[in-house]
Amino acid sequence: MSPTPAKPGGTRIPSRRTVLRGAFTAAVVTGTAGALLPLLDRDPAAADRPAPAPGPGSGSGSRATAEEFAEMYRGREIRGTATVVVPAGAPADDRVAVAAEPVTEIRIDGRPLYVMRRADGTYLSDVRHYESYPTLLETARAAVDELGTARLAPPAAHHM
C-alpha cells in the first residue's frame, strides 16, 4: 500500500478508510445519544407532583400508602395496596419519596397476584404480562378479565 499522497503545500489528504471510520463513529455516537435521550429527558411535570407524605414510621423507615383499594369486580374480591417505604434518616424531601420503590400487593379472592412496577411507573402482572396499566386497580381488573372463571394458583411452597 502506498502512503497517502501529499498536497502541494505538504499536507496529507485523508484516506477513504479514515473518512469512513470518522463517519461511522459519528453515526454511532448520534444513535447512542438518540437512544439515551428519553432517559435523560424526563417529564418536568412528574418532578413537580407532590409525593405522598410519609406516615408514622417504624425503626427501619417511614411508610406511606400511595394506593389502596378493595372492591368486588365481576364477582371477584380484589384488594390491593402500594406502600412507599422511605429509608430511615432520609431527608424529608419529596424527591426521596418519589424515588422510593413502592411495595405492591394485590389479592384476588384472597390469592396473591404477582405485580411488577415498570420504569415508567406503570404496572404489569403475571396474568397480563404483555400489557401495562397506570394503576394497581386497573392491573387487578385486567387480571380478573383475563382469568374469567379460573382461579389464581396458590403460591408455590419454597423449599430450601
Side-chain angles (χ1 to χ4, degrees):
M1 180 185 263
S2 65
T4 306
K7 285 184 179 178
T11 59
R12 297 184 117 170
I13 300 171
S15 69
R16 180 174 178 230
R17 180 178 292 172
T18 304
V19 171
L20 289 175
R21 186 180 298 149
F24 176 75
T25 302
V28 168
V29 169
T30 303
T32 303
L36 293 177
L37 184 63
L39 297 175
L40 302 174
D41 187 29
R42 295 288 182 189
D43 180 19
D48 294 339
R49 276 188 292 225
S58 61
S60 62
S62 299
R63 293 179 176 266
T65 301
E67 184 178 354
E68 186 172 8
F69 60 88
E71 72 174 28
M72 290 297 287
Y73 178 73
R74 296 192 176 195
R76 307 299 272 291
E77 179 189 20
I78 55 175
R79 294 180 177 273
T81 58
T83 305
V84 178
V85 178
V86 179
D93 190 333
D94 286 344
R95 289 176 293 172
V96 173
V98 169
E101 183 68 27
V103 177
T104 59
E105 180 182 28
I106 292 179
R107 292 189 172 271
I108 298 175
D109 295 331
R111 293 187 173 183
L113 171 69
Y114 179 73
V115 177
M116 183 174 71
R117 185 166 185 181
R118 297 184 52 182
D120 63 0
T122 59
Y123 298 95
L124 56 91
S125 72
D126 273 350
V127 176
R128 296 287 303 252
H129 56 273
Y130 292 116
E131 288 186 57
S132 58
Y133 301 91
T135 65
L136 282 176
L137 179 58
E138 290 180 45
T139 306
R141 287 177 177 170
V144 168
D145 291 341
E146 185 71 22
L147 284 170
T149 59
R151 293 188 56 165
L152 284 173
H158 296 294
H159 300 287
M160 293 192 178

